[in-house]
Amino acid sequence: MPPGTTSSEETRTVHRTCNLCEATCGVTLEIAGDQVVRVRGDKEDPFSQGFICPKGSTLGELHHDPDRLQTPLVRRDGELVPATWDEAFAEIETRLGGIFEEHGRSSLALILGNPIVHHLATSLYVRPLVLSAGTTNLYSASTLDQMPQHLVSGLLWGDPNAFPLPDLDRTDHLLMLGANPLASNGSLVTAPDFPGRLKAISARGGRVVVVDPRKSETAERVDEHLFIRPGTDAIWLAALVQTLFEEKLDSIGRLEPWLDGVETIRSLVAAFTPERVADICGIDAETTRRQARDLANAKAGAVYGRMGAHTVEFGTSAAWMTAILNVVTGNFDRPGGVMTSSPVASRVDDREPGGRGFRTGRWKSRLKGYPEINGEFPAAGLAEEIETPGEGQTRAVISVASNPVRSFPNSKRLDRAFADLDFYLAFDIYLNESTRHADVILPPPSGLCEEQYELTFLGNAVRSFAKYSPPVFKHEGLRDEDIMAKVALILRGKGADADPAIIHDEMVEEGVDRQLKDPASPIAGRDRAEILAELEGLSPIEKQLDLRLRTGWQGDLFGAKPGGLSLAELAKKPSGIDFGPMIERFPGRLKTKSGHLELAPAELVEDWKRVTDRLDEPMDGDQLLLIGRRHVRSNNSWMHNIPSLVKGRSRCTLLMNPADASKLGIEAGGNCEVSSAVGKLTVAVETTDSMMPGVVSLPHGWGHDVKGIRMAVAQAHAGVPSNVLTDDSVMDVASGNAVLNAIPVSVSSVS
Ligand SMILES: Nc1nc2c(c(=O)[nH]1)N[C@H]1C(S)=C(S)[C@@H](COP(=O)(O)OP(=O)(O)OC[C@H]3O[C@@H](n4cnc5c(=O)[nH]c(N)nc54)[C@H](O)[C@@H]3O)O[C@H]1N2
Ligand SMILES: Nc1nc2c(c(=O)[nH]1)N[C@H]1C(S)=C(S)[C@@H](COP(=O)(O)OP(=O)(O)OC[C@H]3O[C@@H](n4cnc5c(=O)[nH]c(N)nc54)[C@H](O)[C@@H]3O)O[C@H]1N2
Ligand code: SF4
Ligand SMILES: [Mo]
């Protein structure tokens, strides 16, 4: 029994969603007093049906972690010391005010980290924070991860956030590149129990093929695995497209009248025959042809590429070729192919195809002139913006739930740059590798004190699903939304004393007004007072959620559709409500200016030259390439402080094929030095046939052996930071995404 619990204390069971990854598994928590005593998969959850992974069962440990910050920290005489909220806000006002006066707003950069989208309040309040900052220097994990997918979705069908999701539950054939859902549980597709859904494909007579330079946990379990040389997915996918055309296996189907650019694609891929790409990709021509035929012959097939395939120099091209394959096989927007999500907190009112289109480059970065994409600049360009003097030099940073000193490429350089900032404000729950550089740290209360609805991830889900959970524990002090609202108000010049309710009310009223004025809204023209009255009695977060649910495609439209969904109705079903599988949305969902699906947008055609050049580049067969890896008991850079997740043998090792090890005279279990163009580190080696020869793998997010951090467990299981090896001068040019895989390295033994 954990400390603080007595047998006489009443225990209760509450329903929540695990918010640690994108899978959104339903959980039940057993609560005794103020303690979480047990976490289990919620069998009643219609979406996850009881599935959880080892991380999910640590939600209690995370909540009770003694290293979690409970009060703000403010730097005084060089030391980060506990402070009151008022002191922290006053410090922010004074320091930022001084910097704005001297250097202007363009000296401020914002960094938005991964956990934001895992918390409802944080994800809602990041908007007023960013808008109040008055700077265009915006960075996020998107350019470390998924910008290629945003760009391709934006350019091809006009909506950067409408991701093509493999319809796992209905597909007969899944070709998966650069994803390891047995570890990650899926990304840019929300499908709890991804492993079970994969198994079901094979069980119903379908086929799953994994393409990965490492025979990953996922590759081990599926019907077929192909090694591919890191960074060459775009080239191999082009060979599949070429084969489909050459063997006349393409069949576009229903969307043909809305499709532009097929002939351009045909000529772009003409040189990419399976024979031509075989040596470059490490996949023989016959296998490539067979893969193209299998995909074309499947009743419904899906091609799905993720992290490993996209965070490389040709990441956008890989995402583009993936989309092309799905389109030319007739699998785009078809059940069992790839489809887009229809979240119930949004409308489904596709009318005529056509819209405003997707624009990039509305503003450019100061030094290299990188175009903004989705309002962001490349994370890989941040260090030089901090280091390089001149008008607009980044002198102050606000980070929200991000650990850039571990997550960004060339992290040693960024570490130095952060030490040099005039002011750094971090919203974070830990004093870690990045936040140790902060001048102020603002810790939100535990996630279990929040209202919960997976707004972001249910927007990428393979089923339309809704679930609401009220806070498990009441938090007496400032809540996440209050803290973020306070800082937004300081940024607006309203002062450290301003009432956060100003922002809360504004967000609710703006949300309502937007709907009332939008002729396409189902509540257009309704009475403002009536709608606001309907929301009375709810918390600010609940109001914003209720508005979305009631005006969504399942909503009760504030009484106009009796029996429809509202927050009150949803709350009656604590394990959530399922609204069915994905539905066809195209051509109505096309938001390009032309109203067509633009298979060959000029930007991508232009960028394809880089890929074509690669066909003629001489290959260095001896060059080792480094890739990353995830483990189901680890989560990016921040969950290594949970004892039950890090216990046992270190997982932060370099994996290498035994043939490479013996060539280099490296012994399994011994240490080796890995060096790249920008850095080096020493790490233990594990040899395994699961690695493709010529490829080595190191997980990211480790490296906690750093002075000044307060994460005792993580420090004792430090590992090494793989991003000291990744090079911030190389990018996927089209999207500005960082290159985190296929890093040229050399490895030597250390005695
Ligand atoms: N080499 C290499 N680098 C990578 C990757 C890779 O595969 N290889 N993966 C990339 C990817 S996909 C991503 S998404 C990024 C992620 O990189 P980041 O966006 O930096 O996210 P995390 O590493 O998850 O760090 C999360 C931070 O948020 C804090 N935090 C946790 N919970 C909360 C909370 O509830 N509120 C607040 N305010 N803070 C919280 C943690 O303490 C930590 O500081 O890393 C990227 N970097
Ligand atoms: N347990 C756990 N779950 C997580 C996370 C975590 O850190 N831990 N992070 C979350 C986040 S932020 C994200 S973005 C997702 C990512 O989830 P996924 O997209 O599934 O990414 P990974 O699990 O890193 O798997 C990437 C795979 O790509 C392979 N790979 C590397 N380079 C290449 C290449 O050039 N080509 C091909 N074809 N394959 C390559 C790697 O060997 C690896 O098996 O996971 C999320 N879920
Ligand atoms: S797969 Fe694991 S970490 Fe992801 S939501 Fe489910 S329980 Fe949580
Ligand atoms: Mo990510």
Side-chain angles (χ1 to χ4, degrees):
M1 198 172 285
T5 317
T6 62
S7 54
S8 64
E9 263 174 342
E10 200 187 328
T11 67
R12 59 190 170 114
T13 300
V14 298
H15 297 258
R16 296 285 287 186
T17 301
C18 172
N19 64 337
L20 296 172
C21 87
E22 302 179 36
T24 69
C25 302
V27 290
T28 54
L29 306 184
E30 219 172 279
I31 309 291
D34 61 357
Q35 299 288 313
V36 181
V37 289
R38 186 146 186 195
V39 184
R40 271 189 277 207
D42 180 2
K43 292 200 182 71
E44 305 298 315
D45 182 312
F47 197 17
S48 63
Q49 300 183 10
F51 176 85
I52 56 167
C53 82
K55 280 196 307 300
S57 56
T58 68
L59 284 167
E61 266 179 278
L62 177 61
H63 174 79
H64 296 296
D65 185 345
D67 284 336
R68 270 187 88 108
L69 300 177
Q70 303 294 336
T71 69
L73 300 183
V74 173
R75 191 171 296 280
R76 302 271 183 235
D77 303 320
E79 291 280 314
L80 277 165
V81 296
T84 65
W85 287 98
D86 285 345
E87 287 164 351
F89 292 129
E91 179 77 6
I92 296 165
E93 183 183 20
T94 311
R95 299 286 298 279
L96 274 181
I99 291 170
F100 290 164
E101 206 156 285
E102 200 175 335
H103 303 290
R105 295 257 168 172
S106 64
S107 63
L108 173 66
L110 266 74
I111 306 176
L112 310 182
N114 172 280
I116 291 176
V117 282
H118 294 273
H119 295 271
L120 179 57
T122 331
S123 61
L124 292 171
Y125 278 69
V126 86
R127 186 166 182 269
L129 188 76
V130 168
L131 292 178
S132 306
T135 171
T136 54
N137 300 321
L138 185 63
Y139 301 85
S140 91
S142 291
T143 52
L144 302 169
D145 175 348
Q146 65 198 42
M147 204 50 106
Q149 190 64 71
H150 285 298
L151 184 61
V152 167
S153 299
L155 293 175
L156 268 65
W157 46 90
D159 183 347
N161 297 314
F163 297 127
L165 313 173
D167 187 3
L168 297 174
D169 299 341
R170 291 180 289 187
T171 195
D172 305 300
H173 186 91
L174 177 65
L175 174 61
M176 187 155 58
L177 306 98
N180 184 14
L182 264 288
S184 69
N185 278 294
S187 183
L188 299 194
V189 54
T190 285
D193 192 14
F194 206 123
R197 289 172 201 265
L198 286 181
K199 220 189 223 170
I201 298 173
S202 308
R204 62 176 177 260
R207 193 171 174 77
V208 181
V209 182
V210 165
V211 181
D212 195 308
R214 172 178 163 244
K215 189 163 191 184
S216 65
E217 295 80 352
T218 307
E220 289 279 358
R221 298 257 206 115
V222 299
D223 301 290
E224 188 176 1
H225 165 241
L226 306 177
F227 278 134
I228 187 167
R229 177 161 294 107
T232 66
D233 295 71
I235 295 172
W236 188 67
L237 290 162
L240 293 182
V241 179
Q242 191 277 339
T243 305
L244 292 176
F245 286 142
E246 187 197 309
E247 301 190 4
K248 304 205 168 15
L249 295 167
D250 53 312
S251 69
I252 291 160
R254 184 172 65 86
L255 292 175
E256 180 122 42
W258 289 276
L259 195 59
D260 281 349
V262 180
E263 289 316 307
T264 308
I265 301 299
R266 193 189 295 274
S267 67
L268 283 185
V269 300
F272 291 72
T273 61
E275 291 72 19
R276 180 83 185 269
V277 309
D279 283 347
I280 299 173
C281 305
I283 299 178
D284 67 80
E286 202 33 55
T287 302
T288 303
R289 289 190 185 281
R290 181 167 53 79
Q291 293 300 335
R293 290 172 199 145
D294 285 354
L295 175 65
N297 293 332
K299 222 169 5 166
V303 189
Y304 164 68
R306 259 311 272 140
M307 255 300 279
H310 295 172
T311 55
V312 295
E313 267 187 274
F314 303 146
T316 297
S317 291
W320 183 31
M321 287 294 140
T322 302
I324 291 168
L325 275 175
N326 285 318
V327 170
V328 301
T329 51
N331 283 311
F332 186 82
D333 202 37
R334 151 156 115 187
V338 294
M339 303 187 84
T340 54
S341 189
S342 299
V344 297
S346 301
R347 307 204 294 256
V348 172
D349 53 1
D350 314 318
R351 291 156 198 223
E352 285 299 291
R356 287 201 304 205
F358 179 58
R359 277 182 63 203
T360 64
R362 292 162 299 173
W363 48 89
K364 302 233 159 93
S365 73
R366 171 180 72 117
L367 295 172
K368 296 272 169 67
Y370 297 126
E372 63 69 37
I373 302 183
N374 254 2
E376 298 183 25
F377 291 140
L382 176 60
E384 64 182 349
E385 290 287 351
I386 299 176
E387 287 168 357
T388 314
E391 172 88 30
Q393 179 184 10
T394 297
R395 298 309 314 153
V397 163
I398 298 178
S399 72
V400 187
S402 180
N403 188 5
V405 163
R406 281 296 163 268
S407 309
F408 284 35
N410 199 351
S411 52
K412 214 168 219 169
R413 178 182 184 187
L414 199 63
D415 195 21
R416 283 195 301 269
F418 265 62
D420 227 28
L421 286 168
D422 289 344
F423 182 70
Y424 172 22
L425 161 62
F427 292 81
D428 210 287
I429 60 171
Y430 285 119
L431 177 49
N432 65 14
E433 301 81 13
S434 295
T435 62
R436 77 196 162 106
H437 294 300
D439 296 285
V440 179
I441 308 179
L442 302 179
S446 156
L448 297 182
C449 304
E450 304 168 345
E451 294 99 339
Q452 188 177 40
Y453 185 96
E454 293 290 325
L455 198 58
T456 306
F457 298 111
L458 291 176
N460 297 335
V462 296
R463 298 188 68 85
S464 295
F465 179 69
K467 174 172 166 178
Y468 172 72
S469 317
V472 179
F473 298 112
K474 195 168 162 37
H475 181 75
E476 295 301 337
L478 292 179
R479 297 162 50 86
D480 200 8
E481 59 273 26
D482 301 319
I483 302 167
M484 295 182 76
K486 289 284 287 184
V487 175
L489 288 164
I490 292 172
L491 286 165
R492 287 185 193 177
K494 302 284 183 218
D497 297 328
D499 185 349
I502 298 171
I503 302 267
H504 301 329
D505 293 345
E506 188 179 290
M507 287 181 70
V508 174
E509 285 169 25
E510 269 180 19
V512 170
D513 290 339
R514 214 177 300 132
Q515 296 256 12
L516 299 181
K517 282 191 208 125
D518 176 359
S521 164
I523 60 163
R526 295 265 295 267
D527 180 46
R528 187 176 193 262
E530 176 212 334
I531 304 291
L532 287 172
E534 289 268 348
L535 299 171
E536 263 320 300
L538 300 175
S539 73
I541 300 292
E542 288 173 334
K543 285 181 183 176
Q544 294 172 52
L545 180 59
D546 198 30
L547 176 65
R548 284 169 164 81
L549 292 174
R550 299 179 79 173
T551 56
W553 66 293
Q554 296 289 343
D556 78 347
L557 313 184
F558 290 97
K561 199 173 111 190
L565 191 65
S566 64
L567 188 60
E569 284 305 309
L570 185 57
K572 291 180 188 162
K573 294 271 173 14
S575 295
I577 307 177
D578 180 62
F579 293 91
M582 292 186 283
I583 51 177
E584 283 180 5
R585 297 284 301 270
F586 288 85
R589 202 172 188 174
L590 286 167
K591 293 285 171 282
T592 49
K593 272 195 185 142
S594 61
H596 281 208
L597 201 161
E598 300 284 354
L599 212 52
E603 291 90 328
L604 302 187
V605 172
E606 170 76 15
D607 185 57
W608 186 251
K609 286 196 192 101
R610 293 191 304 125
V611 184
T612 308
D613 287 349
R614 178 67 192 274
L615 282 183
D616 298 318
E617 257 174 42
M619 282 224 324
D620 178 356
D622 289 332
Q623 177 62 64
L624 284 178
L625 295 174
L626 173 74
I627 61 170
R629 133 176 136 251
R630 284 178 160 74
H631 191 281
V632 73
R633 304 184 80 89
S634 176
N635 198 17
N636 290 340
S637 71
W638 69 279
M639 280 196 70
H640 300 142
N641 212 49
I642 307 298
S644 65
L645 292 179
V646 289
K647 69 175 186 232
R649 191 170 70 83
S650 166
R651 285 186 299 268
C652 186
T653 56
L654 188 80
L655 300 185
M656 183 177 231
N657 186 281
D660 288 326
S662 73
K663 214 170 9 178
L664 294 165
I666 292 171
E667 268 177 47
N671 278 337
C672 70
E673 186 179 89
V674 189
S675 56
S676 73
V678 298
K680 60 183 175 193
L681 51 77
T682 300
V683 64
V685 179
E686 274 185 84
T687 57
T688 163
D689 289 325
S690 69
M691 291 307 302
M692 184 179 187
V695 185
V696 292
S697 161
L698 187 64
H700 89 286
W702 297 86
H704 311 299
D705 182 16
V706 172
K707 271 212 194 83
I709 80 171
R710 194 180 306 158
M711 299 180 80
V713 178
Q715 278 169 300
H717 299 82
V720 293
S722 73
N723 275 320
V724 305
L725 299 170
T726 50
D727 187 345
D728 56 343
S729 71
V730 191
M731 278 180 204
D732 169 43
V733 175
S735 69
N737 206 93
V739 172
L740 305 172
N741 283 291
I743 314 298
V745 291
S746 37
V747 178
S748 56
S749 75
V750 289
S751 38

